[in-house]
Amino acid sequence: MPELQDDVAPVEVTASDIVYDGAIWNVRRDSFDYNGASITREYLDHPGAVAVLALDQQDRVLLIKQYRHPTGLRGWELPAGLLDVSGENAVVGAKRELAEEADVVASEWALLTEFYTSPGGSNEAIRVYLARGISAVAAFARTHEEADIELRWVPLDECVDAVLARRISNPILIVAVLAAQVARSRGWSTLAAADLPWPRHPLSIHSRSSHTAA
């Protein structure tokens, strides 16, 4: 059997329009040819995002708790943010988010995992980095939902227990801590270079198709 992996399936996009121009992300409508049929789909057109699993020498993960309005929860998360700075490298964005949301920097960076959050309705791709060699920096002046962020260092095993007991629900945190637990059990041999090319990023996806001007 071939190796288990996703395949890129380029299609000819015959029309592409933004049907809702949002403050942070848009809704896009694409028409494309697939299997001899013309299909139209609408989806959340997202700039992509990064997250950081910061791990200290005691194998504790740095978590943040903040309010998320769509769910009405103050939930535990990893430091994370949108790639909404034009031309910014993903790992540079991750370093910025770690400093701004958690008041720390890291000297060692590696790629832990990446995934789509909802591939049936969004092109949002997330890259999660493992950051080690943690040191504190001056506190960042946070506003809005980030103004009352709570920070906590939690043992990786305790994070996994919380996932399995369904006490935490943030998908990035769930994927990241389970990936980290498995990676640690394999001596971190599954980690990749932080600057590994990112073909799943939304900009890369759009470049593979021929879009009509929106």
Side-chain angles (χ1 to χ4, degrees):
M1 296 292 289
E3 184 178 49
L4 187 67
Q5 71 173 35
D6 297 334
D7 294 327
V8 175
V11 297
E12 181 182 357
V13 177
T14 56
S16 183
D17 302 283
I18 295 175
V19 296
Y20 176 74
D21 187 2
I24 299 177
W25 43 64
N26 303 325
V27 174
R28 182 177 289 275
R29 178 187 294 126
D30 283 355
S31 296
F32 58 96
D33 295 329
Y34 188 73
N35 282 342
S38 179
I39 301 172
T40 298
R41 294 288 183 267
E42 294 176 352
Y43 59 94
L44 184 70
D45 194 7
H46 195 281
V50 288
V52 184
L53 191 148
L55 198 66
D56 70 6
Q57 292 182 333
Q58 289 78 46
D59 279 357
R60 296 183 304 171
V61 180
L62 180 56
L63 302 183
I64 65 173
K65 179 186 272 189
Q66 65 172 314
Y67 175 68
R68 294 298 188 184
H69 186 69
T71 60
L73 295 177
R74 275 183 50 80
W76 289 107
E77 306 179 357
L78 296 180
L82 300 173
L83 290 173
D84 53 1
V85 177
S86 178
E88 183 179 58
N89 182 278
V91 71
V92 173
K95 292 178 180 180
R96 170 174 50 80
E97 293 295 339
L98 182 62
E100 290 182 359
E101 293 194 343
D103 305 326
V104 299
V105 294
S107 60
E108 302 173 35
W109 288 82
L111 176 58
L112 177 63
T113 189
E114 62 185 37
F115 61 97
Y116 290 115
T117 57
S118 182
S122 172
N123 63 1
E124 180 183 11
I126 303 286
R127 258 201 167 172
V128 184
Y129 296 91
L130 178 70
R132 291 179 286 193
I134 308 299
S135 58
V137 293
F140 187 80
R142 293 183 279 269
T143 60
H144 303 298
E145 294 97 332
E146 297 179 348
D148 59 351
I149 277 180
E150 180 182 342
L151 304 176
R152 183 186 297 183
W153 285 98
V154 182
L156 177 58
D157 290 337
E158 185 177 325
C159 293
V160 172
D161 290 343
V163 169
L164 298 179
R166 299 165 298 281
R167 296 196 304 270
I168 56 177
S169 55
N170 181 271
I172 301 174
L173 178 57
I174 291 170
V175 171
V177 299
L178 296 180
Q181 183 199 44
V182 174
R184 183 180 61 178
S185 74
R186 300 183 181 186
W188 301 109
S189 62
T190 60
L191 298 178
D195 59 354
L196 189 75
W198 193 2
R200 293 189 177 96
H201 188 274
L203 291 180
S204 299
I205 296 168
H206 284 312
S207 70
R208 293 197 294 266
S209 302
S210 175
H211 282 260
T212 300

